[in-house]
Amino acid sequence: MALHFEILGRFNRARAAQLTLPHFVCQTPLFMPVGTQGTIKGLANNELERIGCQIILGNTYHLALRPTSELLEEAGGLHNFMNWPRAMLTDSGGFQMVSLLHLADITEEGVTFQSPVDGKPMLLTPEESIQIQNRIGADIIMALDDVVKTTITGPRIEEAMYRTLRWIDRCITAHKRPHDQNLFGIVQGGLDPELRDICVKGLVDRNLPGYAIGGLAGGEDKDSFWRVVAQCTAALPEDKPRYVMGVGYPLDIVVCSALGADMYDCVYPTRTARFGTALIPEGVLKLKHRAMADDTRPIDPTCPCMVCKNYTRAYIHCLVTKDAMGSQLLSYHNLYYMMRLSRNLHTSIVEGRFPKFVCDFLQTMFPKGDVPEWVCNAMEVAGIDISSCCATFPSCQEKYSSDEIGTNRFDKVKIEI
């Protein structure tokens, strides 16, 4: 395996680790910005390094269309092509089964997409996905999985889960660079705990370098979301990284980290920046709002980033309504916020003050004590007392026994999903 995962500290389920990859030594928990076609919109690579970005994510489907994996291979891989010295992860293209469903036809062989570039059909099989990712050369590559929305019910969920397990074997066979690149499997199964268990067991039996929890952050309710994360993290190996795909809301990341997850990715921080919204400890700040026009404060007075040190809300308000520079500055700030959150999660776990960090985070975001019930329930399972920052803390003892709280097992019988 082309990685080394060392746990440096823990609090119950939560853990802080050092993840050594071919191109970089990373500290977890960590957030990965999404650079679909080899770029984070609005930011140069030296800026990404400056704010502490450790891994960026590229997308196999889009990179195969443009600039093509053949060109990337000729250039010495995506690292050389985009001059990025740190770690990289490529998604398999499976997510496009959901996002481009109107262009896709899914069979046992693979997925046939209608190219949005020229309209020509493109067959993406597990073998082709891995071959493309081997050419791209990312530190972590994802197995092609059969992805369905979590809001879908019925036999399609079971079909997709079993197909995901069949496809992982084809991915393993096709993978020609196991000493340079780490193949992660993806747990599917929708919101069905039995299907999730089957998928976890099947993937763990294959002894992969790491594991992802897929099929979430797609419209399911938050109560279902955290329970699937809790179930999967409890069953996945302790000595391997756990990656919750598509998660980018700061609150979700704090909750998932408390439940034992390590890695996250999402377009949210940069996409919301392009709409004029900044991430702050209290939640979000909408810079397009008229009230920002004469506000001479920084976006976040507690933030040491270049944007908060040098620009006011009023200045950025003028830009976001007229100039691309506004979205660039907000993208910089938002990604700095996410990197700072990742560092604070890691440090608080290592230094043994994770519960205090969680309480401070929640008190700032919910000063009236109106912490969502799903967060309260998740934290009780994680073994973290947040009663001091909740106006009313609902008792979960009818759902969770004292033996379950803060352990690495999640008893789905006692929790109705």
Side-chain angles (χ1 to χ4, degrees):
M1 295 179 185
L3 67 73
H4 179 69
F5 186 73
E6 180 186 2
I7 296 177
L8 305 177
R10 63 171 69 246
F11 182 86
N12 290 337
R13 288 174 176 244
R15 69 252 197 98
Q18 181 167 283
L19 173 61
T20 303
L21 296 169
H23 288 89
F24 200 65
V25 178
C26 308
Q27 308 297 318
T28 72
L30 65 82
F31 175 80
M32 301 176 288
V34 177
T36 301
Q37 291 188 295
T39 179
I40 308 295
K41 290 182 180 178
L43 293 180
N45 288 346
N46 64 332
E47 292 177 306
L48 293 171
E49 290 185 66
R50 192 180 307 133
I51 66 176
C53 179
Q54 305 179 81
I55 306 175
I56 63 173
L57 187 144
N59 184 271
T60 296
Y61 169 79
H62 292 286
L63 289 168
L65 289 173
R66 189 175 55 206
T68 75
S69 61
E70 290 79 11
L71 177 59
L72 293 176
E73 187 175 34
E74 288 178 20
L78 185 56
H79 280 95
N80 286 347
F81 187 74
M82 65 178 290
N83 192 28
W84 175 246
R86 297 185 178 182
M88 190 172 293
L89 179 150
T90 44
D91 189 10
S92 65
F95 178 70
Q96 276 62 49
M97 296 183 200
V98 171
S99 63
L100 299 175
L101 189 58
H102 62 290
L103 301 176
D105 181 35
I106 306 163
T107 65
E108 189 64 26
E109 184 180 8
V111 192
T112 302
F113 293 103
Q114 180 185 346
S115 168
V117 176
D118 56 18
K120 294 180 181 179
M122 169 189 175
L123 176 62
L124 187 65
T125 63
E127 292 80 8
E128 180 69 11
S129 174
I130 297 301
Q131 287 166 12
I132 293 170
Q133 292 185 83
N134 282 164
R135 295 187 200 112
I136 293 171
D139 301 71
I140 298 172
I141 64 177
M142 304 304 300
L144 185 66
D145 54 337
D146 189 351
V147 184
V148 293
K149 288 185 177 180
T150 51
T151 51
I152 292 177
T153 58
R156 177 71 182 99
I157 298 292
E158 183 174 0
E159 175 192 46
M161 186 278 293
Y162 280 110
R163 181 173 287 146
T164 293
L165 285 179
R166 292 193 296 272
W167 281 2
I168 187 64
D169 291 324
R170 292 168 59 183
C171 289
I172 292 170
T173 301
H175 185 22
K176 303 305 180 187
R177 299 181 61 185
H179 301 295
D180 303 310
Q181 297 177 286
N182 299 284
L183 175 63
F184 280 27
I186 305 174
V187 180
Q188 291 292 346
L191 304 180
D192 187 320
E194 293 186 8
L195 294 180
R196 287 280 179 176
D197 272 349
I198 293 169
C199 198
V200 167
K201 185 179 185 305
L203 292 175
V204 171
D205 285 346
R206 286 152 174 89
N207 192 30
L208 298 164
Y211 303 90
I213 302 169
L216 294 175
E220 75 280 356
D221 63 275
K222 289 294 188 181
D223 202 53
S224 298
F225 163 77
W226 80 260
R227 295 179 191 215
V228 171
V229 173
Q231 177 188 351
C232 294
T233 53
L236 288 169
E238 277 287 307
D239 60 344
K240 304 285 182 71
R242 304 162 181 165
Y243 162 30
V244 186
M245 305 180 78
V247 169
Y249 293 143
L251 178 60
D252 293 358
I253 288 175
V254 170
V255 171
C256 289
S257 297
L259 293 171
D262 308 300
M263 302 166 62
Y264 314 94
D265 82 283
C266 193
V267 298
Y268 171 70
T270 47
R271 178 173 290 173
T272 199
R274 295 194 292 274
F275 286 96
T277 301
L279 302 179
I280 58 175
E282 294 78 12
V284 296
L285 185 69
K286 297 186 177 182
L287 275 301
K288 285 187 177 181
H289 198 282
R290 191 172 299 174
M292 298 292 108
D294 57 1
D295 193 333
T296 57
R297 293 174 294 172
I299 293 173
D300 174 11
T302 70
C303 177
C305 83
M306 172 272 295
V307 178
C308 292
K309 281 184 176 180
N310 293 289
Y311 303 104
T312 66
R313 297 177 180 185
Y315 176 70
I316 297 173
H317 168 80
C318 292
L319 293 180
V320 295
T321 56
K322 298 177 182 178
D323 195 296
M325 179 62 73
S327 64
Q328 292 174 1
L329 291 175
L330 285 179
S331 292
Y332 185 102
H333 165 80
N334 284 357
L335 288 182
Y336 187 96
Y337 175 94
M338 299 301 293
M339 299 306 123
R340 188 184 184 194
L341 174 64
S342 299
R343 288 191 295 270
N344 289 340
L345 285 166
H346 177 89
T347 303
S348 67
I349 296 170
V350 169
E351 294 180 354
R353 50 181 179 82
F354 183 60
K356 184 181 185 305
F357 170 81
V358 171
C359 286
D360 290 346
F361 177 89
L362 293 175
Q363 283 175 337
T364 304
M365 187 169 284
F366 304 100
K368 296 180 181 179
D370 53 341
V371 178
E373 185 176 356
W374 72 270
V375 176
C376 297
N377 291 342
M379 288 301 172
E380 189 156 358
V381 165
I384 297 174
D385 180 7
I386 60 169
S387 57
S388 63
C389 51
C390 295
T392 56
F393 185 64
S395 174
C396 301
Q397 294 306 315
E398 293 181 2
K399 299 177 184 177
Y400 317 112
S401 74
S402 59
D403 290 338
E404 292 171 313
I405 298 172
T407 67
N408 284 325
R409 289 308 308 161
F410 186 80
D411 190 344
K412 64 179 181 290
V413 175
K414 296 181 182 178
I415 302 178
E416 297 178 0
I417 296 182

